[in-house]
Amino acid sequence: MKPEILFTGKGHAATQATLEAEFTVHKLFESNEKERFLKERSDRIRAIASFGPSPVDGKLMDALPKLEIVSNFGVGVDQINLDDAKKRNIIVTNTPDVLNECVADTAIALVLCTLRKLPQCEAYVRAGHWASKGPYPLTTSLGGKTLGILGLGRIGEAIAKRAIAMGMKIRYHNRRKKDAPYPYDADPVALAKNSDVLMVVTPGGDETRNLVGAKVLDALGPKKYVVNIARGSVIDEPVLLRYLQENRIAGAGLDVFVDEPRMSSDFFKLDNVVLFPHVGSATTETRKAMGDLQIENLRLHFAGKPVRTRVV
Ligand code: 8YV
């Protein structure tokens, strides 16, 4: 008998195909009557394979009394209520490390695109402006600038390595000072004050909601930039939009948004923001590695062995 598992969202196709071959799969996201859907399967579902932002909370856990494990596709588990899982002795796993390099590449690409306005340069050529209007206006160098990393974890370290190679200096803020070779700032405002580019790499969730708001953006000021490859929730998005409209910061590079894939269309009118569609880890290779780890955790669990990357 194959163990029965629930998919919370439509996700990485190859991973979902492998899971469908090895397990009996139930697709919650395809049902219009979710409560009934869960009730009909409540005595059989032993695992959730979570994909994307749909919440895995106490209510869903209670609807599945046989639930043993939630195996998430992604390192961020902010959509999963970890306290609710802990209380119910439900294991939660994620997919750390395998995406560090890829997300760090995206982070540096966003810094380059935001300071050097590379997407705008490309659009300028395609619009025929180079020949008609002349050279593109000068932009801003990375070399010699300070990158302030808000959340120096494994991805932050990979970003720091790359930024140093590009001639940038590194500072950071974490809740606790680490044994790291970079200057530490005691809070996000101090970090913003001391940096030219504030790089947001913290986990999402309640603890970091709107961590970057007016105070931090004021500390950055009109000559400096913010880049977010973490979660949209970490930045107060309406405030950021207003600060960009009023040129109260120099610019922003954003890979993540509060209500993806939606955002205010007012962002589209601005020349001082670069917008990516949450592609931090979105390569064929990295998504396969993430899926393999998600699958491995489920296989290990159902083989009665300890999972590889346990969060709770
Ligand atoms: C993915 C991510 O976009 O790992 C994460 O936390 O945000 C990304 O790598 C996401 O997990 C896809 O569902």
Side-chain angles (χ1 to χ4, degrees):
M1 282 273 282
K2 293 177 181 178
E4 304 205 14
I5 72 173
L6 185 80
F7 286 176
T8 56
K10 188 167 158 59
H12 184 241
T15 302
Q16 293 198 331
T18 303
L19 289 171
E20 284 187 64
E22 288 185 33
F23 300 92
T24 300
V25 164
H26 303 276
K27 298 178 181 172
L28 182 61
F29 61 98
E30 285 181 355
S31 162
N32 295 323
E33 288 185 82
K34 299 212 175 354
E35 260 177 52
R36 206 173 89 196
F37 182 92
L38 291 169
K39 210 167 186 180
E40 286 168 359
R41 296 159 175 80
S42 66
D43 58 338
R44 310 199 306 270
I45 292 175
R46 296 172 59 197
I48 291 177
S50 51
F51 295 91
S54 10
V56 180
D57 51 16
K59 189 169 168 240
L60 177 58
M61 294 171 196
D62 286 341
L64 301 171
K66 298 277 162 58
L67 187 63
E68 298 161 27
I69 178 169
V70 179
S71 177
N72 186 51
F73 184 94
V75 67
V77 287
D78 47 301
Q79 85 283 28
I80 303 170
N81 190 318
L82 301 180
D83 287 335
D84 287 348
K86 224 181 274 172
K87 273 186 227 149
R88 292 163 180 78
N89 282 321
I90 294 167
I91 295 168
V92 177
T93 64
N94 66 345
T95 62
D97 294 324
V98 293
L99 44 56
N100 295 350
E101 307 300 320
C102 204
V103 176
D105 290 345
T106 308
I108 292 298
L110 257 181
V111 176
L112 272 167
C113 287
T114 306
L115 273 64
R116 299 292 307 271
K117 298 201 168 190
L118 299 177
Q120 295 92 320
C121 286
E122 216 262 353
Y124 191 80
V125 175
R126 283 179 194 253
H129 294 335
W130 190 14
S132 61
K133 296 186 182 175
Y136 190 81
L138 301 183
T139 59
T140 304
S141 296
L142 277 68
K145 301 286 191 308
T146 298
L147 184 73
I149 299 181
L150 185 57
L152 187 70
R154 292 167 284 196
I155 294 174
E157 298 270 11
I159 295 170
K161 241 180 22 199
R162 285 161 172 75
I164 289 166
M166 310 199 71
M168 298 188 88
K169 289 172 264 181
I170 306 295
R171 318 180 58 86
Y172 78 101
H173 168 74
N174 280 10
R175 269 178 310 180
R176 255 165 265 111
K177 191 171 183 301
K178 311 189 10 165
D179 184 19
Y182 313 118
Y184 176 75
D185 288 303
D187 57 68
V189 169
L191 182 67
K193 227 174 239 159
N194 293 328
S195 305
D196 297 294
V197 182
L198 182 68
M199 171 66 69
V200 182
V201 205
T202 63
D206 288 339
E207 288 184 23
T208 56
R209 198 171 307 284
N210 295 337
L211 185 64
V212 176
K215 270 192 197 151
V216 174
L217 297 177
D218 281 334
L220 270 181
K223 291 206 159 61
K224 301 176 181 183
Y225 302 82
V226 64
V227 170
N228 189 6
I229 49 110
R231 284 290 181 267
S233 60
V234 185
I235 299 188
D236 188 331
E237 202 168 276
V239 168
L240 174 63
L241 176 59
R242 184 159 56 77
Y243 271 58
L244 288 166
Q245 286 166 331
E246 296 172 2
N247 292 308
R248 290 166 77 167
I249 59 168
L254 307 173
D255 185 44
V256 288
F257 301 86
V258 173
D259 185 26
E260 294 171 7
R262 287 163 290 273
M263 70 196 73
S264 165
S265 58
D266 288 342
F267 278 113
F268 306 158
K269 300 175 195 153
L270 297 172
D271 182 58
N272 57 356
V273 67
V274 174
L275 308 165
F276 284 180
H278 198 150
V279 290
S281 67
T283 66
T284 310
E285 296 87 345
T286 299
R287 288 289 165 86
K288 179 179 183 315
M290 291 163 68
D292 287 348
L293 188 47
Q294 180 190 35
I295 295 164
E296 188 185 350
N297 280 320
L298 287 169
R299 282 182 188 148
L300 286 168
H301 175 75
F302 286 112
K305 296 183 182 156
V307 293
R308 236 182 85 191
T309 49
R310 185 166 180 167
V311 184
V312 298

